[in-house]
C-alpha cells in the first residue's frame, strides 16, 4: 500500500498564511530585497536582449539569479522560524560566513540548471532542479549540512520517492504565485507593476513558509534532525 504524503497541501497553505501574517514585516522585507536584487539584473538582461546581445543577457540573468538566491538566505531562515512558531532571529542568517558561502554554492548549481534548462531544453532540467534541489535554502538556513554540495545532497534525499507529489505541490504553488500578476492583466503601468510586486512578496513568502513546514516534516521522516 502506497504511503500517504506526510503533509496535506491545505495544511501547507494554512501554515504559510498564518506564519506570514504573524511575521509580515521581516518576511516582506527579506522578500523585497531578494526580488529587488533579481529585478536589477533582469532589467539589465532585458536591455542586453534589446541590443541583440543574447549571450550577455544569459550571463547577466544567471549572475542575478545566483546573487538573489544568495541574499535569499535570511528569507529562508525567517520562513523556518515562522513555520516553527519561533521568534524570528533577524540577524541569525548573517552570523555565519560558512552559511552564506554554502548558499552561494547551492545557488550556482541550482540556478545554472534552472536557467539553462528553461532556455534550451524545454524547461525539463528546470523542473528537475526544483524537484531535486528545491529544499537547499532550508537546509542551509537550518545548518542541516556542512557546505553547499552536502546541502544539495540533503535536498535530494528529502524528496526521495515523493517526486510526483512534489511536482504537484510545485505546480499548485506556482499557480498561486501567478495571482500576483493579475494587476498586469488589466494594464501595464507603474501602479500595476508596484502592486504586482507587492502581491508577489506576499504570495512568495506564504509559499516559502508553507515549504518550510514541508521541509520539517520530510526532515523528521528522513531522520536527518
Amino acid at each position: 500500500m502506497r504511503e500517504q504524503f506526510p503533509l496535506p497541501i491545505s495544511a501547507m497553505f494554512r501554515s504559510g498564511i498564518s506564519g506570514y501574517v504573524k511575521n509580515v514585516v521581516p518576511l516582506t522585507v527579506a522578500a523585497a530585497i531578494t526580488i529587488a536584487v533579481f529585478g536589477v539584473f533582469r532589467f539589465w538582461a532585458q536591455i542586453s536582449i534589446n541590443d541583440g546581445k543574447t549571450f550577455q543577457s544569459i550571463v547577466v540573468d544567471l549572475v542575478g539569479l545566483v546573487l538573489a538566491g544568495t541574499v535569499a538566505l535570511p528569507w529562508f531562515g525567517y520562513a523556518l522560524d515562522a513555520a516553527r512558531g519561533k521568534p524570528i532571529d533577524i540577524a541569525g542568517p548573517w552570523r555565519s560566513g560558512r552559511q552564506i558561502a554554502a548558499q552561494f554554492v547551492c545557488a550556482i548549481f541550482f540556478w545554472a540548471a534552472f536557467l539553462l534548462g528553461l532556455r534550451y531544453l524545454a524547461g525539463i532540467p528546470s523542473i528537475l532542479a526544483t524537484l531535486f534541489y528545491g529544499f537547499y535554502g532550508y537546509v542551509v538556513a537550518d545548518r542541516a549540512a556542512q557546505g553547499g554540495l552536502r546541502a544539495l545532497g540533503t535536498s535530494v534525499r528529502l524528496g526521495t520517492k515523493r517526486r510526483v507529489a512534489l511536482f504537484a505541490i510545485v505546480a499548485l504553488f506556482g499557480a498561486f504565485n501567478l495571482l500576483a500578476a493579475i494587476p498586469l492583466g488589466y494594464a501595464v503601468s507603474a501602479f500595476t507593476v508596484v502592486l504586482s510586486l507587492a502581491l508577489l512578496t506576499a504570495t512568495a513568502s506564504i509559499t516559502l513558509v508553507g515549504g518550510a513546514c514541508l521541509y520539517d516534516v520530510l526532515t523528521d521522516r528522513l531522520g536527518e534532525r
Side-chain angles (χ1 to χ4, degrees):
M1 186 175 181
R2 180 173 293 183
E3 181 184 4
Q4 186 176 5
F5 196 75
L7 183 65
I9 293 177
S10 59
M12 292 179 61
F13 269 108
R14 287 196 302 271
S15 298
I17 293 171
S18 174
Y20 176 66
V21 170
K22 293 177 181 177
N23 302 279
V24 62
V25 173
L27 284 169
T28 299
V29 171
I33 291 173
T34 302
I35 294 171
V37 170
F38 171 71
V40 168
F41 284 88
R42 181 82 277 277
F43 181 73
W44 182 7
Q46 188 59 51
I47 292 175
S48 299
I49 292 174
N50 294 339
D51 292 339
K53 301 176 181 177
T54 303
F55 179 74
Q56 178 176 308
S57 72
I58 294 174
V59 173
V60 172
D61 259 337
L62 180 57
V63 171
L65 287 166
V66 170
L67 291 180
T70 303
V71 301
L73 177 60
W75 198 11
F76 280 100
Y78 301 164
L80 279 173
D81 287 342
R84 294 167 179 173
K86 296 169 53 179
I88 287 184
D89 184 0
I90 300 296
W94 299 109
R95 292 195 183 104
S96 172
R98 290 185 178 180
Q99 273 187 288
I100 298 172
Q103 185 80 355
F104 178 70
V105 170
C106 288
I108 290 175
F109 280 90
F110 178 83
W111 288 114
F114 189 94
L115 179 61
L116 295 177
L118 194 63
R119 285 179 176 266
Y120 298 116
L121 296 170
I124 294 175
S126 304
I127 296 172
L128 294 177
T130 303
L131 296 180
F132 282 85
Y133 301 132
F135 292 105
Y136 79 84
Y138 300 115
V139 177
V140 175
D142 200 27
R143 295 182 174 88
Q146 297 296 321
L149 296 180
R150 291 187 178 180
L152 291 172
T154 299
S155 178
V156 171
R157 292 196 301 275
L158 287 172
T160 299
K161 297 181 180 180
R162 296 189 173 96
R163 308 294 176 198
V164 175
L166 289 176
F167 177 79
I169 290 172
V170 169
L172 188 58
F173 273 97
F176 171 64
N177 281 277
L178 286 177
L179 294 176
I182 287 179
L184 296 177
Y186 291 94
V188 178
S189 64
F191 173 74
T192 56
V193 169
V194 171
L195 180 57
S196 289
L197 290 175
L199 290 173
L200 182 60
T201 62
T203 59
S205 293
I206 290 170
T207 299
L208 218 63
V209 176
C213 295
L214 178 59
Y215 163 80
D216 276 342
V217 170
L218 294 181
T219 298
D220 288 338
R221 290 293 182 96
L222 190 62
E224 293 280 338
R225 203 175 294 282

